[in-house]
Amino acid sequence: MIKRLSSLFAIVLICTSAGLYAQPGGGANSYLTAADSDPAALRLVESLRAKYEGYTTIEADFRLEIDIPGSEVETQNGSLARQGDKFHFQLGPQEGISDGEAIYFILHGSKEIQISDLPEEGETDGLLTPQSIFSFYDSGSFVISLQGEETQSGRVVQVLELKPVDRDNSDFTKMRMLVDKNRKEVVKVLAFGRDGSRFTFYLDNTKANGSIPADRFTYNKANYDGYYETDLRF
C-alpha cells in the first residue's frame, strides 16, 4: 500500500512545475511517445499550466479515494498550500513542509521525519510536494488525448486521458483528468493500477493569490517531540 501510494504521489505531487510539455507530433492514435499527443489536448494542457503558474499563492482542499480489489474503499482528506518553492500539505497521517531550502516529510503514524534536498528542476521522482498537482500532466511522461466532454454535478467537464510513455516501468496503465470546461480548473484525477486498483484524487475549494502566514512553510522541530529524524540531504 505504501509503495503504491508513493508511486501515485510521485506522479501527482512531485516538484515538476516547470516541466516541458509534449509537442504535437504523429497523431493521437500512435501512443508511442509524448510527441504523439493530441494537439487539442495539448492546447488544454497549456491553458491549465498558464493559469496555475500565474498564481502567486494557491491553497486547496483535496480528497484521495483508494479502491483496491478485495479491500474496502478508503478515503483520506488533505490540504495544501504553495507559494513559489515553499509549500505545506497534509494527507491523513502524512505531512510535508518546505521552506524553499529543504523538504520535511513527516510520518505521524511512525513518528518519523525525513529531511531531503529540493528536487532539481525537471526532476520526476523524489519526495512529495504539492507543486506538480497542477502540472504533472505536462512533464513529457505521458501521451495525452482529449476524450470528449461529460456533465457532472451540473457542470461540463473535459476528459483528458494520459497513458505513460514508459509502460513497462509504470505502476499505472492510464490516468484520466477531468477539467471544468468553463473555469479551466482541474476537478479530479483518476489513476488505474495494473492490479485493478484505482485511485481518485478530488481537488476541492481552490483559492488563489491569497495571503498565507509565513509560519505555515516553516519546520519547527519543537512541534514534533519524540519523532525520529533522518537527514537524507547530501
Side-chain angles (χ1 to χ4, degrees), residues 12-44:
V12 179
L13 300 178
I14 54 173
C15 184
T16 57
S17 59
L20 298 176
Y21 62 92
Q23 297 291 333
N29 296 322
S30 299
Y31 292 110
L32 297 176
T33 70
D36 297 319
S37 294
D38 177 1
L42 293 177
R43 287 192 293 270
L44 177 55

Side-chain angles (χ1 to χ4, degrees), residues 45 75 95 129 159 163 185:
V45 164
T75 300
E95 182 179 4
T129 81
V159 181
K163 293 187 176 181
E185 293 179 348

Side-chain angles (χ1 to χ4, degrees), residues 5-232:
L5 285 175
S6 298
S7 298
L8 175 63
F9 284 123
I11 294 173
V12 179
L13 300 178
I14 54 173
C15 184
T16 57
S17 59
L20 298 176
Y21 62 92
Q23 297 291 333
N29 296 322
S30 299
Y31 292 110
L32 297 176
T33 70
D36 297 319
S37 294
D38 177 1
L42 293 177
R43 287 192 293 270
L44 177 55
V45 164
E46 176 61 18
S47 68
L48 289 170
R49 184 172 73 150
K51 179 171 184 173
Y52 287 119
E53 287 188 354
Y55 295 149
T56 56
T57 66
I58 192 163
E59 296 179 88
D61 297 322
F62 61 87
R63 291 169 287 137
L64 178 63
E65 187 176 277
I66 306 164
D67 186 358
I68 297 177
S71 302
E72 293 186 2
V73 176
E74 177 185 353
T75 300
Q76 295 184 1
N77 296 313
S79 64
L80 65 88
R82 175 170 63 88
Q83 181 176 333
D85 289 333
K86 300 178 181 180
F87 67 79
H88 178 270
F89 78 86
Q90 288 184 300
L91 177 65
Q94 303 175 50
E95 182 179 4
I97 301 172
S98 175
D99 54 10
E101 298 180 359
I103 297 173
Y104 303 85
F105 184 47
I106 303 156
L107 300 169
H108 292 287
S110 57
K111 288 194 170 184
E112 180 182 357
I113 299 171
Q114 297 175 355
I115 308 173
S116 177
D117 291 316
L118 292 175
E120 297 293 331
E121 182 175 344
E123 188 175 333
T124 57
D125 56 9
L127 288 178
L128 316 186
T129 81
Q131 304 287 62
S132 74
I133 185 175
F134 305 109
S135 58
F136 74 93
Y137 42 80
D138 69 4
S139 66
S141 300
F142 302 95
V143 182
I144 309 174
S145 61
L146 190 58
Q147 298 293 306
E149 299 178 357
E150 300 176 2
T151 300
Q152 294 195 3
S153 302
R155 60 180 172 182
V156 178
V157 296
Q158 294 171 287
V159 181
L160 288 168
E161 185 167 275
L162 304 90
K163 293 187 176 181
V165 172
D166 188 359
R167 301 183 188 183
D168 293 338
N169 295 309
S170 174
D171 284 334
F172 302 98
T173 59
K174 64 181 177 181
M175 302 179 73
R176 287 198 183 118
M177 177 186 295
L178 276 61
V179 179
D180 187 304
K181 183 177 181 179
N182 295 321
R183 297 175 62 88
K184 289 294 184 288
E185 293 179 348
V186 177
V187 175
K188 67 179 177 181
V189 179
L190 299 92
F192 299 84
R194 293 187 176 277
D195 60 356
S197 58
R198 185 166 73 174
F199 300 84
T200 307
F201 185 94
Y202 300 88
L203 188 62
D204 303 316
N205 303 321
T206 302
K207 178 183 176 182
N209 299 327
S211 177
I212 302 176
D215 61 3
R216 190 164 181 186
F217 306 118
T218 302
Y219 169 73
N220 186 345
K221 185 176 181 178
N223 293 335
Y224 306 97
D225 184 42
Y227 283 62
Y228 179 76
E229 284 189 355
T230 302
D231 196 332
L232 304 174

